[in-house]
Each structure stands twice: as C-alpha cells, then as structure tokens.
C-alpha cells in the first residue's frame, strides 16, 4: 500500500468518524430537546459527508490493493507452479502431517517402474 493510498484511507476514516460523531450529536440534541418529531432526519450535510468519506475510504483501499490474480483457475495455478509453489494458499493443507505427498509418491512410483523395466531389459 503506497503512501498516497494510506493517506487517502486515513483521511476518509477521519471524515467518516466526524460524520458519525455529528450524527450522534444531532440525534442527542434533538432527542433531549424534544423539539422535533420522533423521526428526525439527519441534515443533508452530515449525509453527504458520510457518503463522501465512504467513497474516499473505498478509493484509498482500491488504490492500495495488490495486483489482481488471473480469472482462469488454470492460469493462476500455472503461475504458482512456475514460481515453485511459494504463493500457494493451500500449501498448509497440502503439507499436513499424516497425509501423503502425492507428487513424491508419483515420482517414487515412476522411478520404481523405470527400475523394474531396466531389470527386465538386463534379464533379456
């Protein structure tokens, strides 16, 4: 997350906090004074401030987000395999204690088959 996006998010959160505080103060003021009807609406400036602050926070979070992953599962999995599997989100599940390492077992089986083929060729 870059400096600009962090500052934008921080500024938006400050504005959102101020809008919430203003809404609370408006509600307390009118509920204790009993001047207005029970369904007193918030003033337009508080509503606009809340919506603008929400848009600023969203913009800051989007600007600071990481690069998106490919949409196709096979492309994404292919990228992970080419990188050696370091970014694999399922790595902890694949390396759990007590479960087989399928790739190692396949390699072991392929080596065993090649070894038996080599022995049969030597017998001939």
């Amino acid at each position: 997350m870059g400096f600009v996006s962090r500052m934008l998010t921080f500024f938006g959160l400050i504005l959102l906090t101020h809008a919430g505080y203003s809404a609370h103060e408006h509600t307390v003021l009118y509920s204790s004074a009993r001047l207005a009807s029970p369904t007193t609406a918030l003033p337009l400036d508080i509503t606009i401030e809340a919506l603008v602050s929400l848009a600023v926070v969203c913009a800051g979070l989007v600007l600071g987000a990481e690069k998106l992953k490919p949409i196709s599962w096979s492309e994404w999995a292919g990228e992970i395999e080419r990188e050696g599997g370091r970014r694999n989100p399922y790595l902890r599940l694949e390396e759990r204690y007590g479960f087989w390492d399928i790739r190692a077992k396949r390699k072991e089986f392929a080596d065993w088959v090649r070894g038996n083929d080599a022995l049969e060729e030597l017998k001939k």
Side-chain angles (χ1 to χ4, degrees):
M1 196 180 230
F3 178 75
V4 174
S5 64
R6 286 180 191 226
M7 293 311 300
L8 202 59
T9 305
F10 180 72
F11 180 67
L13 288 174
I14 296 294
L15 281 178
L16 190 60
T17 304
H18 183 263
Y21 180 74
S22 298
H24 173 71
E25 286 296 315
H26 178 268
T27 305
V28 169
L29 177 69
Y30 279 101
S31 67
S32 64
R34 296 187 186 118
L35 296 175
S37 66
T39 58
T40 303
L42 287 176
L44 187 60
D45 62 333
I46 295 175
T47 306
I48 290 173
E49 181 183 8
L51 292 175
V52 167
S53 65
L54 187 63
V56 169
V57 168
C58 287
L61 291 174
V62 167
L63 288 174
E66 293 181 17
K67 181 183 170 192
L68 296 176
K69 295 181 176 113
I71 293 175
S72 174
W73 177 265
S74 61
E75 289 178 26
W76 179 67
E79 282 182 13
I80 289 176
E81 288 295 322
R82 284 189 292 276
E83 293 175 358
R86 289 183 309 275
R87 289 188 312 131
N88 187 355
Y90 305 110
L91 193 61
R92 301 265 307 168
L93 294 173
E94 293 175 358
E95 295 178 350
R96 292 186 297 179
Y97 177 75
F99 286 85
W100 280 7
D101 182 5
I102 299 298
R103 292 184 180 145
K105 293 295 180 183
R106 284 182 184 167
K107 184 179 181 316
E108 182 181 317
F109 178 74
D111 293 342
W112 178 75
V113 168
R114 282 188 216 112
N116 283 343
D117 290 343
L119 287 175
E120 287 180 16
E121 288 179 14
L122 289 175
K123 289 181 182 178
K124 290 182 183 179

